[in-house]
Amino acid sequence: ATAHPDPTAGIKTLKDPNGLSYDNTANRSLNTWTFNKTLSNLIRKNILQFLDPERDISILKGTLKPGDIIHYVFDRHSTTNISENLYRLLPTVSPMKNQHHRRCAIVGNSGILLNSSCGSEIDAHDFVIRCNLAPVEEYSQDVGRQTNLVTMNPSVVQRAFQDLVSEEWNQRFLRRLQSLGGSVLWIPAFMAKGGEERVEWALRLILRHAVDVRTAFPSLRLLHAVRGYWLTNNVHIKRPTTGLLMYTMATRFCEEIHLYGFWPFPVDAHGKAVKYHYYDSLKYEYTSSSSPHTMPLEFRTLSSLHRQGALRLHTGSCR
Ligand code: CTP
């Protein structure tokens, strides 16, 4: 690998108000970044020993039938049944079959994106992955609009769409789904118990209104395999975040991977406050020790990969 100036030189370790310590890495000397194709190929090869993202991105129709019992990944003692609707929406072939893209963007949901003006830069990628149905229209200047794959944790229906309590929320949710225009909607329905009703509401809307999305439901082995890959590389994550899952999978389909909106810290490198999400008022307590995620550790890992040229983290302004 080519030697690069270390963007973390002179790193400052800060303390945030919640007592989490973190480094303000990643947005130094970004202009010196060069893509390290050799390392990126090696990472892809190593990840393929743990999972095949093309296959594991979704369970396929032939492998299950309605009524089959599934154990949740994180709540092993709880089960759910494959509903008729879920069965109808299982893909028959992998929605990522034979897809290869030169430059992909993965957009995390950190408030670091606000006032970044990164929208058009993000949209210029060949394939754009977004997380948890985060809104784009009102923030397009900073986050762009293009969406080729978007994730939806069942909890999103509650957090962002008020559990569809009224006709108005139903309509809002439906409009958001309709705006996806043919992209992949990736629903981790079997991770943790408690979301089956919400998944079912979403599936019912998609079917009733013939919404143009390609649904995908990750296989049970995906989470374990992703965690296994990172553990083997000495990254001791409790439960990979959606963002890390997307990066791990994207290595299979993308040549160069660019990450935007990954910044799990309450202040930026200049000490200015940063919202947890660019679009709502969730607070940073969410990333505390009680959270199943280890976002700052993930971030340090991604920063290290950035420094080595395997991926590019964009944490500053795109102006
Ligand atoms: N993210 C980040 N910094 C933040 C917020 C989010 O780096 N301040 C990244 C994380 O990788 C996260 C992704 O952006 O997984 C999407 O954000 P979000 O929707 O908040 O994910 P989570 O709510 O954490 O969902 P999950 O539990 O599935 O990860």
Side-chain angles (χ1 to χ4, degrees), residues 62-227:
T63 61
L64 287 172
K65 52 184 187 320
D68 278 358
I69 294 169
I70 299 249
H71 284 262
Y72 287 106
V73 178
F74 297 116
D75 303 290
R76 291 292 304 153
H77 302 297
S78 302
T79 57
T80 183
N81 290 82
I82 299 294
S83 70
E84 287 286 344
N85 287 340
L86 197 144
Y87 181 76
R88 285 173 66 189
L89 287 167
L90 282 175
T92 45
V93 289
S94 166
M96 289 304 286
K97 190 166 177 59
N98 295 332
Q99 291 217 29
H100 296 285
H101 304 280
R102 205 177 77 70
R103 291 175 78 250
C104 298
I106 305 176
V107 187
N109 287 335
S110 168
I112 198 81
L113 280 167
L114 288 172
N115 297 316
S116 68
S117 297
C118 285
S120 48
E121 191 177 304
I122 290 173
D123 283 352
H125 288 78
D126 305 310
F127 195 85
V128 180
I129 298 176
R130 297 183 189 270
C131 301
N132 284 325
L133 279 184
V136 287
E137 276 309 315
E138 314 87 294
Y139 303 93
S140 60
Q141 169 88 8
D142 293 328
V143 309
R145 281 197 173 86
Q146 194 193 326
T147 304
N148 301 95
L149 186 154
V150 63
T151 72
M152 190 198 90
N153 283 351
S155 59
V156 166
V157 179
Q158 182 228 336
R159 266 202 250 139
F161 297 95
Q162 304 289 312
D163 264 343
L164 315 184
V165 286
S166 60
E167 186 45 33
E168 196 201 325
W169 283 107
N170 246 293
Q171 287 302 320
R172 275 199 206 191
F173 185 51
L174 177 60
R175 280 199 300 273
R176 182 71 186 99
L177 294 173
Q178 285 170 329
S179 73
L180 296 175
S183 40
V184 178
L185 177 64
W186 188 84
I187 308 177
F190 313 119
M191 298 300 164
K193 68 172 179 196
E196 54 269 68
E197 248 191 316
R198 291 169 183 139
V199 171
E200 199 53 33
W201 296 335
L203 303 185
R204 219 177 286 154
L205 276 180
I206 292 170
L207 286 165
R208 190 177 304 151
H209 297 271
V211 177
D212 181 19
V213 283
R214 286 178 293 145
T215 40
F217 303 89
S219 74
L220 301 180
R221 74 166 87 86
L222 177 78
L223 239 284
H224 297 300
V226 169
R227 197 160 164 264

Side-chain angles (χ1 to χ4, degrees), residues 33-91:
W33 187 87
T34 330
F35 179 49
N36 185 338
K37 195 168 166 37
T38 316
L39 179 59
S40 158
N41 286 344
L42 182 67
I43 291 173
R44 177 179 308 111
K45 206 171 126 210
N46 288 342
I47 289 175
L48 277 167
Q49 292 181 357
F50 287 79
L51 66 148
D52 177 356
E54 185 176 290
R55 176 195 65 200
D56 297 329
I57 190 168
S58 184
I59 295 170
L60 298 182
K61 215 172 211 138
T63 61
L64 287 172
K65 52 184 187 320
D68 278 358
I69 294 169
I70 299 249
H71 284 262
Y72 287 106
V73 178
F74 297 116
D75 303 290
R76 291 292 304 153
H77 302 297
S78 302
T79 57
T80 183
N81 290 82
I82 299 294
S83 70
E84 287 286 344
N85 287 340
L86 197 144
Y87 181 76
R88 285 173 66 189
L89 287 167
L90 282 175

Side-chain angles (χ1 to χ4, degrees), residues 106-112 130-134 151-153 155-156 159 186 188 191 239-246 259-266 274-280 282 284 286-287 291-293 295-296 298-299 302 313:
I106 305 176
V107 187
N109 287 335
S110 168
I112 198 81
R130 297 183 189 270
C131 301
N132 284 325
L133 279 184
T151 72
M152 190 198 90
N153 283 351
S155 59
V156 166
R159 266 202 250 139
W186 188 84
M191 298 300 164
R239 188 192 287 191
T241 64
T242 303
L244 190 70
L245 278 170
M246 289 301 120
L259 307 186
Y260 295 82
F262 283 67
W263 187 268
F265 310 114
V274 175
K275 289 176 70 187
Y276 179 63
H277 281 158
Y278 66 81
Y279 53 88
D280 66 19
L282 261 194
Y284 270 92
Y286 193 64
T287 57
S291 158
H293 294 318
M295 273 199 205
E298 286 189 7
F299 183 82
L302 296 171
L313 260 176

